[in-house]
Amino acid sequence: MATNPDSVRILVPVGMLGAGFPPETVERGLALGADVIAVDGGSTDSGPYYLGAGTAKTARAAVARDLRLLLRAAATAGIPLIIGSCGTSGTDAGVDWVAGITREILAGEGLDLRLATIYSSQRAADLDLDRIRPLPPAGDLDRATLESCANIVGMMGHEPIAAALTAGADVVLAGRATDTAVAAAYPLLRGMPAGPVWHAAKIVECGGQCTTNPRAGGVLATVDATGFTIEPLDPANACTPTSVAAHMLYETVDPFTMREPAGTIEVGDAVYRALDERRVRVEGSRFEPAAQHTIKLEGARITGYETMSFTAIRDPHILGQIDTWTALLRKMITEWVSGTIGLGEGDYTFDIRRYGHDAILGDLDPAAGPPREVGIMLLVHAADQQTATAVAKVANPLMLHLPTPDMDHLPSLAFATSPAETERGAAYEFVLNHVVEVPSPTSLFRVCLEDNR
């Protein structure tokens, strides 16, 4: 691999593999001289289920569609393709899932690309508690909590990805990785300065989200010795200093600094300048190496099992007393469950959400006056699925016909589904928000280079 080029161009087609992008935008990125294609394959935005269960939130066909286009593009241009956090949460199962799809496409398309997989799943028994530190607001970690996790992953920096590329990989499928590491690995390997590389990687992590039209495909960032230039891949789209700088507000506690395993991105002195109506130049970014390399751990465990029921109210009399009705529903469910199946406090919990009234903001909802229609979600949580469903079934007649205290007839409410109860299976919670001190950036990860050429 040649070293010290004048610049490196990073093509990021979309914010997440499987989300879809216009094929012509990738073609334009290749025409502009892309040196590497990088895309994130994961997210924790949809909660702990995907990590706990080790399954993907994206559809197999959608991932295969995106992968096919990207593998063709990488083969055509002779440039690496890097995908991070495979299978949503980056578990070993997620990496194997994406690798299986990739192998099918490579064989079907007759593409001669060498595949590397990087595994990031961790065994609780292998982790040293003395080297684990909490991140606010988490507290100290105990062994029981660590061992209760259904899945644990370590969030890698750029180093394992760079190791796979150095070993000869054309396609790198990484387990859990920081969003930025996926885009930063190749330009750092080619000798580009860390400040501009990491800042550019942060800006492009979500593809077109740093543009004025995020729906119009991805972006191309060109990193050089003094900064980076970014432009959208759709000629009708635009990057502006505001749209680019604003992305430092996305998923960050502080818009001027952001921690990576190897150090901290510092952009407080960065200057954003429009080169024309579509391109932005950024200079002044720095990267401060950390004294101790750390890897963030993510872990999820089962908290129980859930059953959901959903009904809807159009009755204006009930809606005029929705708080009274909800309090009565809660009281009646508790009494009926105790009286019919003998369960008390501690045997189960339930949540009632009123969509169309205050389901999202709760007491902070500024809306005044009775709502026009409200959807009532009952979510029952118990130690096992049978108990959760039994409670939901006891609540069924109440969610169909419960009147307010001053009504002299039984109203008919509207279940959304039949049966009214939907078993959601296991429920999970994130229990790790910690970092572990490691002796080397690659020590927690396994790089496997396949001999598939």
Side-chain angles (χ1 to χ4, degrees), residues 19-23 59-70 101 105:
F21 52 84
R60 190 182 195 281
V63 170
R65 179 265 184 194
D66 286 1
L67 263 176
R68 189 180 306 279
L69 292 170
L70 297 178
I101 300 171
I105 296 171

Side-chain angles (χ1 to χ4, degrees), residues 131-451:
R131 292 186 172 276
I132 297 177
R133 297 189 278 105
L135 297 173
D140 291 337
L141 186 64
D142 57 54
R143 178 60 62 184
T145 299
L146 196 60
E147 293 180 348
S148 71
C149 293
N151 277 305
I152 301 172
V153 292
M155 186 179 284
M156 72 184 77
H158 72 284
E159 298 90 349
I161 300 170
L165 293 171
T166 302
D170 301 308
V171 179
V172 179
L173 304 178
R176 189 61 172 141
T178 71
D179 295 353
T180 42
V182 179
Y186 188 75
L188 288 172
L189 192 61
R190 299 299 304 272
M192 292 295 102
V197 167
W198 284 110
H199 193 182
K202 167 57 185 171
I203 298 300
V204 302
E205 62 170 347
C206 289
Q209 188 159 317
C210 62
T211 71
T212 57
N213 182 7
R215 295 168 295 182
V219 292
L220 183 82
T222 303
V223 184
D224 55 41
T226 60
F228 68 93
T229 300
I230 184 165
E231 62 183 296
L233 294 169
D234 184 333
N237 198 3
C239 286
T240 68
T242 298
S243 72
V244 173
H247 195 70
M248 284 303 300
L249 293 165
Y250 180 70
E251 294 181 338
T252 55
V253 175
D254 183 334
F256 302 113
T257 67
M258 197 176 84
R259 179 64 198 266
E260 289 290 319
T264 302
I265 307 170
E266 300 279 358
V267 304
D269 296 328
V271 176
Y272 303 76
R273 177 168 55 90
L275 295 180
D276 50 37
E277 293 182 348
R278 299 184 61 255
R279 298 181 303 151
V280 171
R281 175 73 179 170
V282 183
E283 296 183 345
S285 323
R286 295 181 294 110
F287 187 79
E288 298 292 340
Q292 171 63 57
H293 199 103
T294 55
I295 296 296
K296 185 174 183 290
L297 299 173
E298 294 178 343
R301 67 182 176 190
I302 293 178
T303 62
Y305 294 80
E306 292 178 343
T307 299
M308 181 174 69
S309 188
F310 196 96
T311 192
I313 303 173
R314 283 280 300 191
D315 188 312
H317 186 84
I318 297 177
L319 293 176
Q321 305 176 53
I322 189 64
D323 290 337
T324 299
W325 183 89
T326 306
L328 180 61
L329 175 64
R330 188 178 299 279
K331 177 175 179 291
M332 294 290 289
I333 289 176
T334 303
E335 292 177 355
W336 281 29
V337 168
S338 176
T340 55
I341 55 179
L343 297 180
E345 291 186 11
D347 295 323
Y348 71 100
T349 60
F350 67 92
D351 187 20
I352 298 173
R353 296 289 181 95
R354 306 177 293 191
Y355 288 93
H357 182 51
D358 61 354
I360 298 172
L361 292 179
D363 293 339
L364 298 176
D365 198 316
R372 190 167 61 90
E373 61 182 35
V374 170
I376 302 293
M377 184 191 76
L378 172 71
L379 187 63
V380 183
H381 185 281
D384 59 81
Q385 191 74 70
Q386 185 178 12
T387 300
T389 299
V391 172
K393 284 181 177 293
V394 169
N396 182 301
L398 299 170
M399 295 184 70
L400 184 60
H401 290 307
L402 181 67
T404 56
D406 62 347
M407 293 177 75
D408 58 4
H409 66 280
L410 296 180
S412 289
L413 309 182
F415 278 124
T417 60
S418 179
E421 299 80 30
T422 300
E423 294 186 341
R424 298 192 64 254
Y428 296 85
E429 65 175 347
F430 287 122
V431 291
L432 298 183
N433 189 35
H434 299 72
V435 295
V436 57
E437 297 177 352
V438 291
S440 83
T442 59
S443 58
L444 290 186
F445 309 103
R446 290 93 63 202
V447 179
C448 301
L449 188 64
E450 297 191 1
D451 187 17

Side-chain angles (χ1 to χ4, degrees), residues 17 39-43 67 81-99 102 115-121 153-165 169 171-179 181-183 185 445-448:
L17 186 74
V39 60
D40 184 24
S43 172
L67 263 176
L81 169 63
I82 302 168
I83 299 171
S85 299
C86 287
T88 301
S89 55
T91 62
D92 290 359
V95 173
D96 287 337
W97 182 66
V98 176
T102 302
L115 182 64
T117 49
I118 307 176
Y119 294 98
S120 61
S121 288
V153 292
M155 186 179 284
M156 72 184 77
H158 72 284
E159 298 90 349
I161 300 170
L165 293 171
V171 179
V172 179
L173 304 178
R176 189 61 172 141
T178 71
D179 295 353
V182 179
F445 309 103
R446 290 93 63 202
V447 179
C448 301

